[in-house]
PDB file of all heavy atoms in Angstrom:
ATOM      1  N   VAL E  14      -5.530  -2.482   2.275  1.00 98.00           N
ATOM      2  CA  VAL E  14      -4.682  -1.365   1.867  1.00 98.00           C
ATOM      3  C   VAL E  14      -3.397  -1.429   2.678  1.00 98.00           C
ATOM      4  O   VAL E  14      -3.415  -1.821   3.850  1.00 98.00           O
ATOM      5  CB  VAL E  14      -5.410  -0.014   2.060  1.00 98.00           C
ATOM      6  CG1 VAL E  14      -5.744   0.242   3.523  1.00 98.00           C
ATOM      7  CG2 VAL E  14      -4.577   1.142   1.499  1.00 98.00           C
ATOM      8  N   PHE E  15      -2.279  -1.051   2.049  1.00 98.00           N
ATOM      9  CA  PHE E  15      -0.997  -1.114   2.748  1.00 98.00           C
ATOM     10  C   PHE E  15      -0.032  -0.094   2.144  1.00 98.00           C
ATOM     11  O   PHE E  15      -0.251   0.443   1.052  1.00 98.00           O
ATOM     12  CB  PHE E  15      -0.395  -2.523   2.679  1.00 98.00           C
ATOM     13  CG  PHE E  15      -0.280  -3.097   1.294  1.00 98.00           C
ATOM     14  CD1 PHE E  15       0.864  -2.891   0.528  1.00 98.00           C
ATOM     15  CD2 PHE E  15      -1.315  -3.855   0.751  1.00 98.00           C
ATOM     16  CE1 PHE E  15       0.972  -3.417  -0.745  1.00 98.00           C
ATOM     17  CE2 PHE E  15      -1.218  -4.389  -0.525  1.00 98.00           C
ATOM     18  CZ  PHE E  15      -0.079  -4.181  -1.281  1.00 98.00           C
ATOM     19  N   ILE E  16       1.040   0.160   2.876  1.00 98.00           N
ATOM     20  CA  ILE E  16       2.105   1.033   2.395  1.00 98.00           C
ATOM     21  C   ILE E  16       2.836   0.356   1.234  1.00 98.00           C
ATOM     22  O   ILE E  16       3.177  -0.824   1.311  1.00 98.00           O
ATOM     23  CB  ILE E  16       3.119   1.323   3.513  1.00 98.00           C
ATOM     24  CG1 ILE E  16       2.465   2.045   4.688  1.00 98.00           C
ATOM     25  CG2 ILE E  16       4.296   2.133   2.979  1.00 98.00           C
ATOM     26  CD1 ILE E  16       3.359   2.120   5.913  1.00 98.00           C
ATOM     27  N   HIS E  17       3.091   1.121   0.182  1.00 98.00           N
ATOM     28  CA  HIS E  17       3.886   0.614  -0.939  1.00 98.00           C
ATOM     29  C   HIS E  17       4.882   1.703  -1.323  1.00 98.00           C
ATOM     30  O   HIS E  17       4.512   2.846  -1.576  1.00 98.00           O
ATOM     31  CB  HIS E  17       2.989   0.292  -2.133  1.00 98.00           C
ATOM     32  CG  HIS E  17       3.622  -0.605  -3.162  1.00 98.00           C
ATOM     33  ND1 HIS E  17       4.773  -0.270  -3.856  1.00 98.00           N
ATOM     34  CD2 HIS E  17       3.256  -1.840  -3.615  1.00 98.00           C
ATOM     35  CE1 HIS E  17       5.082  -1.250  -4.690  1.00 98.00           C
ATOM     36  NE2 HIS E  17       4.181  -2.220  -4.567  1.00 98.00           N
ATOM     37  N   GLY E  18       6.162   1.370  -1.369  1.00 98.00           N
ATOM     38  CA  GLY E  18       7.170   2.321  -1.805  1.00 98.00           C
ATOM     39  C   GLY E  18       7.117   2.549  -3.303  1.00 98.00           C
ATOM     40  O   GLY E  18       6.516   1.770  -4.050  1.00 98.00           O
ATOM     41  N   LEU E  19       7.757   3.617  -3.766  1.00 98.00           N
ATOM     42  CA  LEU E  19       7.791   3.907  -5.199  1.00 98.00           C
ATOM     43  C   LEU E  19       8.594   2.837  -5.934  1.00 98.00           C
ATOM     44  O   LEU E  19       9.629   2.382  -5.467  1.00 98.00           O
ATOM     45  CB  LEU E  19       8.397   5.284  -5.446  1.00 98.00           C
ATOM     46  CG  LEU E  19       7.643   6.473  -4.844  1.00 98.00           C
ATOM     47  CD1 LEU E  19       8.285   7.775  -5.299  1.00 98.00           C
ATOM     48  CD2 LEU E  19       6.170   6.448  -5.214  1.00 98.00           C
ATOM     49  N   LYS E  20       8.121   2.485  -7.125  1.00 97.00           N
ATOM     50  CA  LYS E  20       8.716   1.381  -7.861  1.00 97.00           C
ATOM     51  C   LYS E  20      10.040   1.727  -8.526  1.00 97.00           C
ATOM     52  O   LYS E  20      10.709   0.845  -9.066  1.00 97.00           O
ATOM     53  CB  LYS E  20       7.723   0.860  -8.901  1.00 97.00           C
ATOM     54  CG  LYS E  20       6.495   0.207  -8.264  1.00 97.00           C
ATOM     55  CD  LYS E  20       5.546  -0.356  -9.301  1.00 97.00           C
ATOM     56  CE  LYS E  20       4.348  -1.033  -8.647  1.00 97.00           C
ATOM     57  NZ  LYS E  20       3.400  -1.581  -9.648  1.00 97.00           N
ATOM     58  N   ASP E  21      10.439   3.007  -8.485  1.00 96.00           N
ATOM     59  CA  ASP E  21      11.742   3.369  -9.042  1.00 96.00           C
ATOM     60  C   ASP E  21      12.832   3.359  -7.968  1.00 96.00           C
ATOM     61  O   ASP E  21      13.889   3.960  -8.148  1.00 96.00           O
ATOM     62  CB  ASP E  21      11.673   4.740  -9.706  1.00 96.00           C
ATOM     63  CG  ASP E  21      11.466   5.869  -8.705  1.00 96.00           C
ATOM     64  OD1 ASP E  21      11.017   5.586  -7.567  1.00 96.00           O
ATOM     65  OD2 ASP E  21      11.746   7.037  -9.044  1.00 96.00           O
ATOM     66  N   ALA E  22      12.588   2.656  -6.858  1.00 97.00           N
ATOM     67  CA  ALA E  22      13.548   2.627  -5.752  1.00 97.00           C
ATOM     68  C   ALA E  22      14.915   2.146  -6.222  1.00 97.00           C
ATOM     69  O   ALA E  22      15.032   1.216  -7.032  1.00 97.00           O
ATOM     70  CB  ALA E  22      13.026   1.727  -4.639  1.00 97.00           C
ATOM     71  N   SER E  23      15.956   2.787  -5.689  1.00 97.00           N
ATOM     72  CA  SER E  23      17.328   2.442  -6.059  1.00 97.00           C
ATOM     73  C   SER E  23      18.255   2.820  -4.911  1.00 97.00           C
ATOM     74  O   SER E  23      17.812   3.364  -3.892  1.00 97.00           O
ATOM     75  CB  SER E  23      17.742   3.200  -7.321  1.00 97.00           C
ATOM     76  OG  SER E  23      17.757   4.602  -7.068  1.00 97.00           O
ATOM     77  N   ARG E  24      19.550   2.567  -5.079  1.00 96.00           N
ATOM     78  CA  ARG E  24      20.527   2.950  -4.066  1.00 96.00           C
ATOM     79  C   ARG E  24      20.473   4.463  -3.825  1.00 96.00           C
ATOM     80  O   ARG E  24      20.549   4.934  -2.699  1.00 96.00           O
ATOM     81  CB  ARG E  24      21.931   2.563  -4.508  1.00 96.00           C
ATOM     82  CG  ARG E  24      23.025   2.951  -3.495  1.00 96.00           C
ATOM     83  CD  ARG E  24      24.411   2.825  -4.132  1.00 96.00           C
ATOM     84  NE  ARG E  24      24.718   1.451  -4.474  1.00 96.00           N
ATOM     85  CZ  ARG E  24      25.332   0.598  -3.668  1.00 96.00           C
ATOM     86  NH1 ARG E  24      25.699   0.983  -2.447  1.00 96.00           N
ATOM     87  NH2 ARG E  24      25.584  -0.627  -4.061  1.00 96.00           N
ATOM     88  N   GLU E  25      20.310   5.226  -4.892  1.00 97.00           N
ATOM     89  CA  GLU E  25      20.268   6.685  -4.786  1.00 97.00           C
ATOM     90  C   GLU E  25      18.932   7.183  -4.252  1.00 97.00           C
ATOM     91  O   GLU E  25      18.870   8.218  -3.588  1.00 97.00           O
ATOM     92  CB  GLU E  25      20.540   7.322  -6.153  1.00 97.00           C
ATOM     93  CG  GLU E  25      21.932   7.090  -6.696  1.00 97.00           C
ATOM     94  CD  GLU E  25      22.148   5.662  -7.195  1.00 97.00           C
ATOM     95  OE1 GLU E  25      21.152   5.009  -7.587  1.00 97.00           O
ATOM     96  OE2 GLU E  25      23.313   5.197  -7.168  1.00 97.00           O
ATOM     97  N   ASN E  26      17.861   6.465  -4.537  1.00 96.00           N
ATOM     98  CA  ASN E  26      16.522   6.867  -4.112  1.00 96.00           C
ATOM     99  C   ASN E  26      15.794   5.682  -3.477  1.00 96.00           C
ATOM    100  O   ASN E  26      14.898   5.087  -4.083  1.00 96.00           O
ATOM    101  CB  ASN E  26      15.714   7.399  -5.298  1.00 96.00           C
ATOM    102  CG  ASN E  26      16.257   8.701  -5.825  1.00 96.00           C
ATOM    103  OD1 ASN E  26      16.194   9.726  -5.151  1.00 96.00           O
ATOM    104  ND2 ASN E  26      16.819   8.651  -7.030  1.00 96.00           N
ATOM    105  N   PRO E  27      16.168   5.314  -2.260  1.00 98.00           N
ATOM    106  CA  PRO E  27      15.547   4.156  -1.600  1.00 98.00           C
ATOM    107  C   PRO E  27      14.170   4.501  -1.025  1.00 98.00           C
ATOM    108  O   PRO E  27      13.749   5.659  -1.040  1.00 98.00           O
ATOM    109  CB  PRO E  27      16.533   3.839  -0.485  1.00 98.00           C
ATOM    110  CG  PRO E  27      17.109   5.180  -0.123  1.00 98.00           C
ATOM    111  CD  PRO E  27      17.222   5.930  -1.428  1.00 98.00           C
ATOM    112  N   TYR E  28      13.510   3.473  -0.526  1.00 98.00           N
ATOM    113  CA  TYR E  28      12.257   3.671   0.212  1.00 98.00           C
ATOM    114  C   TYR E  28      12.469   4.722   1.294  1.00 98.00           C
ATOM    115  O   TYR E  28      13.474   4.709   1.999  1.00 98.00           O
ATOM    116  CB  TYR E  28      11.832   2.348   0.846  1.00 98.00           C
ATOM    117  CG  TYR E  28      10.688   2.472   1.838  1.00 98.00           C
ATOM    118  CD1 TYR E  28       9.375   2.374   1.422  1.00 98.00           C
ATOM    119  CD2 TYR E  28      10.946   2.678   3.193  1.00 98.00           C
ATOM    120  CE1 TYR E  28       8.330   2.482   2.329  1.00 98.00           C
ATOM    121  CE2 TYR E  28       9.910   2.797   4.104  1.00 98.00           C
ATOM    122  CZ  TYR E  28       8.599   2.699   3.668  1.00 98.00           C
ATOM    123  OH  TYR E  28       7.571   2.818   4.566  1.00 98.00           O
ATOM    124  N   ASP E  29      11.510   5.631   1.419  1.00 97.00           N
ATOM    125  CA  ASP E  29      11.644   6.692   2.413  1.00 97.00           C
ATOM    126  C   ASP E  29      10.272   7.219   2.774  1.00 97.00           C
ATOM    127  O   ASP E  29       9.270   6.911   2.123  1.00 97.00           O
ATOM    128  CB  ASP E  29      12.524   7.817   1.855  1.00 97.00           C
ATOM    129  CG  ASP E  29      13.050   8.748   2.948  1.00 97.00           C
ATOM    130  OD1 ASP E  29      12.963   8.374   4.129  1.00 97.00           O
ATOM    131  OD2 ASP E  29      13.525   9.840   2.612  1.00 97.00           O
ATOM    132  N   PHE E  30      10.228   8.048   3.827  1.00 97.00           N
ATOM    133  CA  PHE E  30       8.967   8.603   4.316  1.00 97.00           C
ATOM    134  C   PHE E  30       8.174   9.307   3.219  1.00 97.00           C
ATOM    135  O   PHE E  30       6.947   9.255   3.210  1.00 97.00           O
ATOM    136  CB  PHE E  30       9.227   9.601   5.449  1.00 97.00           C
ATOM    137  CG  PHE E  30       9.620   8.975   6.747  1.00 97.00           C
ATOM    138  CD1 PHE E  30      10.082   9.763   7.792  1.00 97.00           C
ATOM    139  CD2 PHE E  30       9.532   7.614   6.945  1.00 97.00           C
ATOM    140  CE1 PHE E  30      10.446   9.199   9.007  1.00 97.00           C
ATOM    141  CE2 PHE E  30       9.896   7.027   8.141  1.00 97.00           C
ATOM    142  CZ  PHE E  30      10.352   7.826   9.180  1.00 97.00           C
ATOM    143  N   THR E  31       8.855  10.017   2.329  1.00 98.00           N
ATOM    144  CA  THR E  31       8.157  10.797   1.312  1.00 98.00           C
ATOM    145  C   THR E  31       8.049  10.068  -0.023  1.00 98.00           C
ATOM    146  O   THR E  31       7.594  10.649  -1.016  1.00 98.00           O
ATOM    147  CB  THR E  31       8.859  12.154   1.093  1.00 98.00           C
ATOM    148  OG1 THR E  31      10.176  11.921   0.598  1.00 98.00           O
ATOM    149  CG2 THR E  31       8.931  12.943   2.390  1.00 98.00           C
ATOM    150  N   ARG E  32       8.450   8.804  -0.047  1.00 98.00           N
ATOM    151  CA  ARG E  32       8.425   8.027  -1.294  1.00 98.00           C
ATOM    152  C   ARG E  32       7.608   6.751  -1.098  1.00 98.00           C
ATOM    153  O   ARG E  32       8.108   5.640  -1.188  1.00 98.00           O
ATOM    154  CB  ARG E  32       9.855   7.696  -1.736  1.00 98.00           C
ATOM    155  CG  ARG E  32      10.642   8.908  -2.228  1.00 98.00           C
ATOM    156  CD  ARG E  32      12.104   8.547  -2.540  1.00 98.00           C
ATOM    157  NE  ARG E  32      12.224   7.299  -3.298  1.00 98.00           N
ATOM    158  CZ  ARG E  32      12.056   7.192  -4.622  1.00 98.00           C
ATOM    159  NH1 ARG E  32      11.749   8.268  -5.340  1.00 98.00           N
ATOM    160  NH2 ARG E  32      12.208   6.028  -5.225  1.00 98.00           N
ATOM    161  N   ARG E  33       6.337   6.918  -0.804  1.00 98.00           N
ATOM    162  CA  ARG E  33       5.449   5.780  -0.597  1.00 98.00           C
ATOM    163  C   ARG E  33       4.005   6.210  -0.821  1.00 98.00           C
ATOM    164  O   ARG E  33       3.680   7.395  -0.806  1.00 98.00           O
ATOM    165  CB  ARG E  33       5.651   5.194   0.801  1.00 98.00           C
ATOM    166  CG  ARG E  33       5.558   6.201   1.942  1.00 98.00           C
ATOM    167  CD  ARG E  33       5.989   5.575   3.254  1.00 98.00           C
ATOM    168  NE  ARG E  33       5.931   6.520   4.367  1.00 98.00           N
ATOM    169  CZ  ARG E  33       6.236   6.214   5.623  1.00 98.00           C
ATOM    170  NH1 ARG E  33       6.610   4.973   5.931  1.00 98.00           N
ATOM    171  NH2 ARG E  33       6.174   7.118   6.584  1.00 98.00           N
ATOM    172  N   PHE E  34       3.123   5.222  -0.977  1.00 98.00           N
ATOM    173  CA  PHE E  34       1.714   5.515  -1.262  1.00 98.00           C
ATOM    174  C   PHE E  34       0.848   4.355  -0.780  1.00 98.00           C
ATOM    175  O   PHE E  34       1.360   3.309  -0.342  1.00 98.00           O
ATOM    176  CB  PHE E  34       1.506   5.757  -2.766  1.00 98.00           C
ATOM    177  CG  PHE E  34       1.800   4.549  -3.633  1.00 98.00           C
ATOM    178  CD1 PHE E  34       0.793   3.685  -4.025  1.00 98.00           C
ATOM    179  CD2 PHE E  34       3.098   4.287  -4.062  1.00 98.00           C
ATOM    180  CE1 PHE E  34       1.061   2.584  -4.820  1.00 98.00           C
ATOM    181  CE2 PHE E  34       3.387   3.189  -4.866  1.00 98.00           C
ATOM    182  CZ  PHE E  34       2.361   2.333  -5.241  1.00 98.00           C
ATOM    183  N   ALA E  35      -0.460   4.536  -0.883  1.00 98.00           N
ATOM    184  CA  ALA E  35      -1.414   3.515  -0.456  1.00 98.00           C
ATOM    185  C   ALA E  35      -1.736   2.597  -1.633  1.00 98.00           C
ATOM    186  O   ALA E  35      -2.251   3.046  -2.662  1.00 98.00           O
ATOM    187  CB  ALA E  35      -2.690   4.161   0.063  1.00 98.00           C
ATOM    188  N   MET E  36      -1.434   1.317  -1.478  1.00 98.00           N
ATOM    189  CA  MET E  36      -1.796   0.320  -2.487  1.00 98.00           C
ATOM    190  C   MET E  36      -3.015  -0.460  -1.991  1.00 98.00           C
ATOM    191  O   MET E  36      -3.032  -0.951  -0.862  1.00 98.00           O
ATOM    192  CB  MET E  36      -0.644  -0.646  -2.747  1.00 98.00           C
ATOM    193  CG  MET E  36      -0.965  -1.732  -3.774  1.00 98.00           C
ATOM    194  SD  MET E  36      -1.173  -1.098  -5.441  1.00 98.00           S
ATOM    195  CE  MET E  36       0.543  -1.112  -6.005  1.00 98.00           C
ATOM    196  N   LYS E  37      -4.012  -0.576  -2.867  1.00 98.00           N
ATOM    197  CA  LYS E  37      -5.216  -1.336  -2.543  1.00 98.00           C
ATOM    198  C   LYS E  37      -5.204  -2.661  -3.287  1.00 98.00           C
ATOM    199  O   LYS E  37      -4.816  -2.721  -4.466  1.00 98.00           O
ATOM    200  CB  LYS E  37      -6.462  -0.545  -2.966  1.00 98.00           C
ATOM    201  CG  LYS E  37      -7.766  -1.193  -2.543  1.00 98.00           C
ATOM    202  CD  LYS E  37      -8.944  -0.613  -3.300  1.00 98.00           C
ATOM    203  CE  LYS E  37      -9.176  -1.345  -4.605  1.00 98.00           C
ATOM    204  NZ  LYS E  37     -10.455  -0.971  -5.254  1.00 98.00           N
ATOM    205  N   VAL E  38      -5.623  -3.722  -2.613  1.00 98.00           N
ATOM    206  CA  VAL E  38      -5.800  -5.015  -3.264  1.00 98.00           C
ATOM    207  C   VAL E  38      -7.222  -5.495  -3.029  1.00 98.00           C
ATOM    208  O   VAL E  38      -7.670  -5.600  -1.886  1.00 98.00           O
ATOM    209  CB  VAL E  38      -4.799  -6.068  -2.744  1.00 98.00           C
ATOM    210  CG1 VAL E  38      -5.102  -7.431  -3.353  1.00 98.00           C
ATOM    211  CG2 VAL E  38      -3.367  -5.665  -3.050  1.00 98.00           C
ATOM    212  N   GLN E  39      -7.926  -5.748  -4.123  1.00 97.00           N
ATOM    213  CA  GLN E  39      -9.242  -6.378  -4.056  1.00 97.00           C
ATOM    214  C   GLN E  39      -9.026  -7.888  -4.136  1.00 97.00           C
ATOM    215  O   GLN E  39      -8.506  -8.406  -5.123  1.00 97.00           O
ATOM    216  CB  GLN E  39     -10.115  -5.903  -5.211  1.00 97.00           C
ATOM    217  CG  GLN E  39     -11.494  -6.546  -5.256  1.00 97.00           C
ATOM    218  CD  GLN E  39     -12.261  -6.106  -6.490  1.00 97.00           C
ATOM    219  OE1 GLN E  39     -12.150  -4.964  -6.935  1.00 97.00           O
ATOM    220  NE2 GLN E  39     -13.024  -7.031  -7.058  1.00 97.00           N
ATOM    221  N   ILE E  40      -9.418  -8.600  -3.073  1.00 97.00           N
ATOM    222  CA  ILE E  40      -9.146 -10.034  -2.976  1.00 97.00           C
ATOM    223  C   ILE E  40     -10.301 -10.820  -3.590  1.00 97.00           C
ATOM    224  O   ILE E  40     -11.456 -10.696  -3.162  1.00 97.00           O
ATOM    225  CB  ILE E  40      -8.945 -10.452  -1.511  1.00 97.00           C
ATOM    226  CG1 ILE E  40      -7.799  -9.643  -0.886  1.00 97.00           C
ATOM    227  CG2 ILE E  40      -8.670 -11.940  -1.406  1.00 97.00           C
ATOM    228  CD1 ILE E  40      -7.637  -9.863   0.599  1.00 97.00           C
ATOM    229  N   ASN E  41      -9.990 -11.620  -4.604  1.00 95.00           N
ATOM    230  CA  ASN E  41     -11.001 -12.429  -5.284  1.00 95.00           C
ATOM    231  C   ASN E  41     -10.792 -13.906  -4.985  1.00 95.00           C
ATOM    232  O   ASN E  41      -9.656 -14.365  -4.831  1.00 95.00           O
ATOM    233  CB  ASN E  41     -10.933 -12.198  -6.797  1.00 95.00           C
ATOM    234  CG  ASN E  41     -11.216 -10.746  -7.165  1.00 95.00           C
ATOM    235  OD1 ASN E  41     -12.097 -10.125  -6.588  1.00 95.00           O
ATOM    236  ND2 ASN E  41     -10.462 -10.216  -8.117  1.00 95.00           N
ATOM    237  N   LYS E  42     -11.876 -14.655  -4.909  1.00 89.00           N
ATOM    238  CA  LYS E  42     -11.795 -16.073  -4.570  1.00 89.00           C
ATOM    239  C   LYS E  42     -10.959 -16.860  -5.572  1.00 89.00           C
ATOM    240  O   LYS E  42     -10.291 -17.828  -5.217  1.00 89.00           O
ATOM    241  CB  LYS E  42     -13.199 -16.665  -4.469  1.00 89.00           C
ATOM    242  CG  LYS E  42     -14.004 -16.173  -3.264  1.00 89.00           C
ATOM    243  CD  LYS E  42     -15.354 -16.855  -3.184  1.00 89.00           C
ATOM    244  CE  LYS E  42     -16.124 -16.399  -1.965  1.00 89.00           C
ATOM    245  NZ  LYS E  42     -17.468 -17.049  -1.866  1.00 89.00           N
ATOM    246  N   ALA E  43     -10.990 -16.457  -6.823  1.00 86.00           N
ATOM    247  CA  ALA E  43     -10.257 -17.190  -7.852  1.00 86.00           C
ATOM    248  C   ALA E  43      -8.755 -16.950  -7.769  1.00 86.00           C
ATOM    249  O   ALA E  43      -7.983 -17.621  -8.462  1.00 86.00           O
ATOM    250  CB  ALA E  43     -10.766 -16.790  -9.232  1.00 86.00           C
ATOM    251  N   GLY E  44      -8.348 -15.994  -6.940  1.00 87.00           N
ATOM    252  CA  GLY E  44      -6.929 -15.719  -6.791  1.00 87.00           C
ATOM    253  C   GLY E  44      -6.406 -14.646  -7.715  1.00 87.00           C
ATOM    254  O   GLY E  44      -5.233 -14.245  -7.623  1.00 87.00           O
TER     255      GLY E  44
END
């Protein structure tokens, strides 16, 4: 799990403390 910023990030709305969430990745052997 890691920090992920909102995908609508822009010059007007960049990555910020209140614009992020927890992204989970399930790692599989096949890639």
